């Protein structure tokens, strides 16, 4: 095993925080020392919206290039930002235990989504969140924003925006839970497939480097969520939310597709016992996706 494990990461505060926590976990589990290797990505350097950049993958490609050419030994991804298609020569060797999958509202004056005044300016860079905001509060002015968590929160503090919607997991990893004025419940506000989970990716054959961080329950849940995304051939430019849970041996999965303006939505929910299938995540995702297709999901997403 390598003497020092080089952990590739984006250079943002959030990416460094979560990669640092993974590096510490690797050392605690294996005794191998780690060092962080910051990698600049197109998603970090461009001011264009994520949808216009191509959505899924704009943060992953540079990290994967660094892994392939030997600049690092493992890379840490936010799983919600990772394309669903397998990457030749690379393997997601571990999905550590998932944290909070919810979105959170960070608003001025302790406001909630229901108490924001009419016409309030709410920032997000996610088409899914845009659709959800418009569905819940069509009177709001939804502003497309980019930037790291601190930049977004500063827009609220400076009065440029009344609120922003962010992933609770990111705020937790940055120690900024104090900024949250409302957690948005998963049932009414499903989030991105894989949100709250990390993925540790290595070159094929190096799985042993991080295998000890694998959390089997988190893996099966996020695999189910992401396979719905894959079957629907959607990316982060599609207003789609999904959420799974394992309870008493049963895997539950729900997914919802929105029209871009939030005026329409389609939902499918199914469950199966994990022990009843050789591929419970894939089988359940196929059921959910088929029902969404039967309801007209392709046309709804094609209209965005």
């Amino acid at each position: 095993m390598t003497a020092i494990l080089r952990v590739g990461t984006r250079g943002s505060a959030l990416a460094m925080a979560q990669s640092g926590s993974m590096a510490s976990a690797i050392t605690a589990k294996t005794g191998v020392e780690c060092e962080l290797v910051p990698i600049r990505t197109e998603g970090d350097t461009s001011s264009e919206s994520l949808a216009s950049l191509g959505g899924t993958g704009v943060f992953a490609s540079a990290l994967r290039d660094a892994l392939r050419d030997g600049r690092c030994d493992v890379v840490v991804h936010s799983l919600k930002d990772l394309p669903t298609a397998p990457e030749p020569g690379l393997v997601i060797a571990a999905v550590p235990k998932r944290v909070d999958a919810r979105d959170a509202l960070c608003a001025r004056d302790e406001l909630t989504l229901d108490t924001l005044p009419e016409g309030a300016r709410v920032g997000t860079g996610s088409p899914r969140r845009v659709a959800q905001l418009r569905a819940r509060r069509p009177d709001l002015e939804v502003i497309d924003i980019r930037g790291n968590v601190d930049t977004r929160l500063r827009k609220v503090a400076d009065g440029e925006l009344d609120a922003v919607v962010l992933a609770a997991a990111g705020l937790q990893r940055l120690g900024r839970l104090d900024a949250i004025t409302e957690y948005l419940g998963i049932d009414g506000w499903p989030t991105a497939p894989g949100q709250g989970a990390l993925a540790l990716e290595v070159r094929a054959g190096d799985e042993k480097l991080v295998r000890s961080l694998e959390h089997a329950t988190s893996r099966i849940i996020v695999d189910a969520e992401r396979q719905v995304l894959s079957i629907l051939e959607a990316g982060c430019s599609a207003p789609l939310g999904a959420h799974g849970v394992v309870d008493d041996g049963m895997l539950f999965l729900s997914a919802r597709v929105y029209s871009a303006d939030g005026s329409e939505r389609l939902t499918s929910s199914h469950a199966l016992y994990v022990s009843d299938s050789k591929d419970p995540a894939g089988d359940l995702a196929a059921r959910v996706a088929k029902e969404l297709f039967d309801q007209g999901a392709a046309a709804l997403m094609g209209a965005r």
Side-chain angles (χ1 to χ4, degrees), residues 195-279:
Q195 183 162 310
L198 301 177
L200 305 186
E201 192 170 37
V202 299
R203 293 178 289 273
D206 287 345
E207 292 87 344
K208 64 183 181 298
L209 295 176
V210 296
R211 187 178 290 143
S212 60
L213 271 65
E214 172 78 353
H215 187 258
T217 301
S218 295
R219 168 80 76 154
I220 194 171
I221 290 170
V222 299
D223 277 356
E225 294 174 3
R226 283 167 52 79
Q227 286 191 59
V228 172
L229 191 70
S230 177
I231 295 168
L232 293 175
E233 297 184 338
C236 72
S237 60
L240 180 147
H243 186 65
V245 64
V246 172
D247 185 29
D248 199 22
M250 181 169 277
L251 174 62
F252 297 84
L253 178 65
S254 179
R256 182 173 298 163
V257 175
Y258 297 84
S259 61
D261 63 1
S263 63
E264 298 179 71
R265 68 183 188 187
L266 304 171
T267 303
S268 175
S269 300
H270 286 271
L272 57 71
Y273 282 103
V274 173
S275 60
D276 286 347
S277 171
K278 293 182 179 179
D279 180 16

Side-chain angles (χ1 to χ4, degrees), residues 22-283:
M22 290 299 99
S24 296
I26 291 168
T27 299
K29 288 276 190 180
T30 67
V32 175
E33 293 298 319
C34 297
E35 67 176 7
L36 298 185
V37 180
I39 308 293
R40 290 181 67 83
T41 76
E42 182 185 8
D44 296 315
T45 58
S46 175
S47 61
E48 298 294 320
S49 70
L50 289 182
S52 67
L53 286 173
T56 302
V58 298
F59 297 118
S61 58
L63 293 173
R64 286 173 157 172
D65 288 344
L67 186 56
R68 282 197 185 88
D69 66 24
R71 282 176 283 157
C72 56
D73 306 300
V74 56
V75 293
V76 180
H77 302 282
S78 289
L79 196 50
K80 69 181 179 63
D81 296 328
L82 201 60
T84 56
E87 189 71 9
L90 304 181
V91 179
I92 298 176
V95 174
K97 187 174 182 180
R98 187 186 205 174
V99 298
D100 199 334
R102 292 175 293 178
D103 276 346
L105 187 78
C106 302
R108 62 174 175 83
D109 304 326
E110 300 298 317
L111 292 168
T112 67
L113 196 52
D114 288 336
T115 61
L116 282 168
E118 183 174 348
R121 295 166 58 86
V122 181
T124 178
S126 159
R128 169 188 56 81
R129 290 171 179 153
V130 170
Q132 289 172 318
L133 285 165
R134 289 173 173 165
R136 178 90 167 263
R137 288 287 307 272
D139 60 292
L140 297 176
E141 184 180 358
V142 183
I143 308 297
D144 183 47
I145 59 171
R146 289 292 313 279
N148 60 34
V149 170
D150 285 338
T151 297
R152 296 180 187 214
L153 291 176
R154 194 175 305 117
K155 291 178 183 294
V156 177
D158 293 346
E160 182 179 340
L161 297 172
D162 296 293
V164 293
V165 181
L166 299 169
L171 292 162
Q172 177 182 334
R173 289 173 177 135
L174 284 171
R176 292 303 313 271
L177 292 178
D178 60 296
I180 297 174
T181 57
E182 182 184 13
Y183 287 94
L184 302 172
I186 287 289
D187 287 344
W189 194 281
T191 53
Q195 183 162 310
L198 301 177
L200 305 186
E201 192 170 37
V202 299
R203 293 178 289 273
D206 287 345
E207 292 87 344
K208 64 183 181 298
L209 295 176
V210 296
R211 187 178 290 143
S212 60
L213 271 65
E214 172 78 353
H215 187 258
T217 301
S218 295
R219 168 80 76 154
I220 194 171
I221 290 170
V222 299
D223 277 356
E225 294 174 3
R226 283 167 52 79
Q227 286 191 59
V228 172
L229 191 70
S230 177
I231 295 168
L232 293 175
E233 297 184 338
C236 72
S237 60
L240 180 147
H243 186 65
V245 64
V246 172
D247 185 29
D248 199 22
M250 181 169 277
L251 174 62
F252 297 84
L253 178 65
S254 179
R256 182 173 298 163
V257 175
Y258 297 84
S259 61
D261 63 1
S263 63
E264 298 179 71
R265 68 183 188 187
L266 304 171
T267 303
S268 175
S269 300
H270 286 271
L272 57 71
Y273 282 103
V274 173
S275 60
D276 286 347
S277 171
K278 293 182 179 179
D279 180 16
D283 289 346

